[in-house]
Amino acid sequence: CTCPFHLYTFLSMKILGISAYYHDSSACLVVDGEIIAAAQEERFTRKKHDSAFPVNAIEYCLSEAKCQARDVDYVVFYDKPFLKFERLLETYLAFAPRGFKSFATSLPVWLKDKLFQKSVITKAMTDLWGKDIHWGERLLFSEHHLSHAASAFFPSPFEEAAVLTMDGVGEWTTTSLAIGKGNNLEVIKEIHFPHSLGLLYSAFTYYTGFKVNSGEYKVMGLAPYGEPHWVDTLLEEVVSLHEDGSFRLNLEYLDPLAEDHLTNARFHDRFGGPPRRPDEPLEKRHLDLARSIQGVTERA
């Protein structure tokens, strides 16, 4: 999600896109609208899903373009921290006093680092390449799902396309529909948090004993070994699919305040017990749940 979207009209322009501080940090360098290089930080540090500022990935991209940091016209970050903080704050307030412990834990981290991402990124760039480059003036922030849409549409061969993005959650958006024409992307419809197919799938990732934001592919790989016994239950009780393609989650089964586990006691009772610990063996129930959530996701 590191491809900038609204600067393609400029010529002789070097734009560095970066993703960092969440998971799978990466960098991408675009010169005159052409992707010159892109890389994930984990490829250099050998730390799986490395979330650190992508120093090595940036250096690689610059070397591939045979340019210096000072030659970069703009640095674009993949989402907007203030909007994301607004979503977290409003969610905690909406569910108060539930989630106070989680709120108390996360707030200091946001106030120290995440909320002031511009300062953090500017400092990281300054530490790398010196104070004579005023990075704050060159730093821009794209909305999360617009970044996703841009990374799909702009490198594609299409002059016009419908662009559908679906993930866990960006700032507020979990699903977006955009129309791409030439160098423009217009978002025409969105579904907002906490209604998210990505978060629903991650809930089952956690419940079947895998790590959220990295183990989802294991659930997908597990699905063919099970039977879709829970599909009807999921569609009747947990997620409703509508004729226009939209969907809604039943929050009585999910905990939108807990990004690391997402499920609650009612969920556990309904699907046969507590979440599987990573060191516990897989049971047939887990295989069937993987098959069922895969089927529901595909149907959605």
Side-chain angles (χ1 to χ4, degrees), residues 78-95:
Y78 76 103
D79 73 2
K80 296 192 173 184
F82 277 97
L83 283 178
K84 184 176 287 187
F85 182 70
E86 175 191 74
R87 187 250 301 170
L88 290 172
L89 198 58
E90 288 193 20
T91 303
Y92 282 124
L93 288 173
F95 287 89

Side-chain angles (χ1 to χ4, degrees), residues 38-56:
Q40 286 186 299
E41 187 68 4
E42 71 169 24
R43 301 299 181 180
F44 304 94
T45 64
R46 316 309 296 171
K47 297 178 183 176
K48 195 168 179 64
H49 306 300
D50 196 343
S51 62
F53 188 78
V55 176
N56 298 285

Side-chain angles (χ1 to χ4, degrees), residues 88 94 104 292 299:
L88 290 172
S292 298
R299 189 178 302 185

Side-chain angles (χ1 to χ4, degrees), residues 127-143:
D127 289 345
L128 277 173
W129 295 296
K131 297 180 179 179
D132 58 327
I133 306 174
H134 300 293
W135 289 112
E137 299 171 4
R138 306 188 191 191
L139 184 57
L140 303 171
F141 292 82
S142 166
E143 287 193 9

Side-chain angles (χ1 to χ4, degrees), residues 206-208 263 268-269 271-277 280 285-286:
Y206 164 77
Y207 189 67
T208 52
T263 62
H268 305 160
D269 291 342
F271 295 105
R276 182 181 77 90
R277 294 198 309 268
E280 291 180 331
R285 175 172 62 94
H286 301 121

